[in-house]
Amino acid sequence: MYIKEIIAPLEVLAPASLQEDYDNCGLLTGNTNWQCTGVLIALDATEAVVNEAKAKGCNLVIAHHPIIFGGLKKITGSNYVERAVITAIKNDIAIYAIHTNLDNVITGVNGKMADMLGLINRRPLQPKKGVVKKIVVYVPQAHANKVREALFTSGAGTIGNYSGCSFNSSGQGTFTAGKNTQPFVGQADKPHTEEEVKIEMVYFAWQQQQLLNALYKAHPYEEVAFDIYAIDNTVDAFGSGLMGELPNAMPEPDFLDFVKQQFGLQLVRHTALVGKPVTRVAICGGAGSFLTRAAVAAGADFYITADVKYHEFFDADKQLVLADIGHYESEQFTINLLFDILKEKFPTFAVQKTEVKTNPVHYFL
């Protein structure tokens, strides 16, 4: 089993193109062509986690947070980032990060949090734009089915729970083949008119290269005429945060107790209770104060996130209860999420969860 085979299903679940501009997802150390001796899953790829991987015979650490966030100008071991990288390189251990791309998938980090709370009717709190594109291609009528099926097979033409979606219109294409060409129809240096089909379908941005490869292989023309459009449509499967509903409304104090129990919390920082039943719940694993106003606008009764600063608590504006449960605490079950995905895909392969608690925050109660 090679490392590239292990990470392949993760990149299907959360393509790297879904990461935010500031992020650094993907393979940070190592080589995808290495044979994998075992996988260790963690929230943070610290030096202690890398050493744990070495001790357990794992040469691949899959972490939610990238240990390398900004550029490294020196690698001297002077801080925890450099020490982790040095340890990984010296021991031929690959580190793979799956961060905001996993945050932006509704079945990712926030989906796991929603599972812990039993939320139903889920949707992104802030849908992500730029995920969907459209391709328009012109094909001679006799080859339209072949090209259409090739595009479908490459992943294009899916809208929600519907697959094989396309729009087709007939018309006439005109061209004059130049010298040193071998036109599929017509003759060089002579104008030609061909009955063609205009095929239109949508696809996800990260599918573009495989789609174009399939198009060039299936299309009969030497020069394939096609257009690609970026569209503003949003998709319910992708976006920041998550909005859901409790199956049954709960009083605010009872819901706070429920959150503490489900996430194993010692405490919860929150705004004043507003005195209404909790039904609609917004969540965002990690630092999510940037979505507080979106949660208010969406009509949430409760917003659960982390890393909220003093002045950011005012953004709740008595419209909802804003609860900060801690960064590590909100994302801790991401380890279980990744473990379950890989064990289902590779049931006989060595996939382990870290035993190192990487939370840097401690509480004196």
Side-chain angles (χ1 to χ4, degrees):
M1 187 74 69
Y2 293 92
I3 286 177
K4 60 186 176 184
E5 296 176 273
I6 299 293
I7 63 178
L10 299 181
E11 296 189 333
V12 171
L13 168 70
S17 59
L18 284 176
Q19 70 178 300
E20 299 299 330
D21 293 339
Y22 61 82
D23 206 3
N24 189 33
C25 301
L27 195 69
L28 306 183
T29 65
N31 192 310
T32 57
N33 290 319
W34 286 352
Q35 286 194 349
C36 188
T37 60
V39 181
L40 185 66
I41 300 174
L43 203 61
D44 307 279
T46 61
E47 182 182 10
V49 170
V50 176
N51 280 324
E52 180 189 16
K54 177 185 176 183
K56 292 181 174 179
C58 301
N59 69 342
L60 173 60
V61 173
I62 295 177
H64 181 46
H65 297 133
I67 189 67
I68 304 173
F69 229 111
L72 289 178
K73 295 185 177 181
K74 299 178 181 179
I75 307 179
T76 62
S78 62
N79 58 53
Y80 78 99
V81 174
E82 294 177 8
R83 289 193 294 273
V85 172
I86 290 171
T87 304
I89 293 174
K90 286 177 66 176
N91 293 283
D92 286 340
I93 293 175
I95 298 176
Y96 180 85
I98 180 167
H99 190 212
T100 53
N101 50 333
L102 191 60
D103 291 332
N104 283 326
V105 178
I106 200 167
T107 54
V109 175
N110 298 311
K112 190 63 178 177
M113 291 177 67
D115 290 343
M116 302 303 297
L117 298 173
L119 300 186
I120 59 175
N121 300 327
R122 304 174 187 182
R123 59 178 175 81
L125 182 56
Q126 182 174 281
K128 190 172 183 64
K129 291 187 177 182
V131 172
V132 181
K133 291 187 175 183
K134 176 185 280 190
I135 187 167
V136 177
V137 59
Y138 303 86
V139 191
Q141 286 186 346
H143 288 76
N145 285 338
K146 181 180 179 181
V147 170
R148 193 163 37 240
E149 289 302 318
L151 295 178
F152 290 153
T153 302
S154 71
T158 296
I159 302 176
N161 292 324
Y162 291 81
S163 60
C165 303
S166 70
F167 185 81
N168 304 268
S169 52
S170 298
Q172 293 182 330
T174 63
F175 57 84
T176 300
K179 295 181 180 179
N180 301 318
T181 62
Q182 294 180 326
F184 179 74
V185 290
Q187 299 178 26
D189 289 330
K190 291 185 178 181
H192 180 79
T193 299
E194 182 70 20
E195 296 297 324
E196 295 181 337
V197 177
K198 177 183 179 183
I199 302 173
E200 304 178 50
M201 60 180 72
V202 295
Y203 63 95
F204 294 124
W206 53 86
Q207 297 172 324
Q208 183 162 306
Q209 191 56 57
Q210 66 190 41
L211 181 146
L212 291 179
N213 291 342
L215 174 62
Y216 285 124
K217 186 176 181 179
H219 203 290
Y221 285 176
E222 277 188 306
E223 298 291 344
V224 181
F226 65 91
D227 303 312
I228 289 177
Y229 300 95
I231 56 180
D232 282 339
N233 300 45
T234 57
V235 181
D236 285 344
F238 308 105
S240 300
L242 182 149
M243 187 76 178
E245 299 174 6
L246 292 169
N248 299 293
M250 299 175 66
E252 290 167 332
D254 291 353
F255 184 65
L256 275 171
D257 283 338
F258 179 60
V259 172
K260 282 187 66 177
Q261 176 185 349
Q262 293 301 101
F263 287 88
L265 308 175
Q266 298 181 59
L267 56 86
V268 179
R269 300 166 64 228
H270 64 87
T271 56
L273 304 184
V274 296
K276 61 180 181 180
V278 180
T279 300
R280 296 165 62 84
V281 179
I283 55 179
C284 179
S289 58
F290 70 101
L291 290 174
T292 301
R293 289 188 175 90
V296 171
D301 304 312
F302 227 95
Y303 179 36
I304 301 169
T305 188
D307 296 349
V308 181
K309 297 178 182 179
Y310 175 85
H311 292 286
E312 293 170 341
F313 277 105
F314 287 104
D315 290 337
D317 201 22
K318 300 179 181 179
Q319 301 298 304
L320 51 68
V321 178
L322 171 58
D324 182 335
I325 66 173
H327 196 122
Y328 177 91
E329 289 81 359
S330 69
E331 296 181 332
Q332 60 184 304
F333 298 109
T334 304
I335 295 173
N336 294 342
L337 170 68
L338 295 171
F339 178 84
D340 292 343
I341 291 168
L342 292 182
K343 285 303 291 184
E344 181 179 0
K345 186 69 176 178
F346 310 107
T348 61
F349 196 74
V351 180
Q352 302 181 60
K353 304 175 190 177
T354 182
E355 297 177 58
V356 177
K357 186 174 182 180
T358 58
N359 189 2
V361 180
H362 296 259
Y363 303 98
F364 181 76
L365 300 176

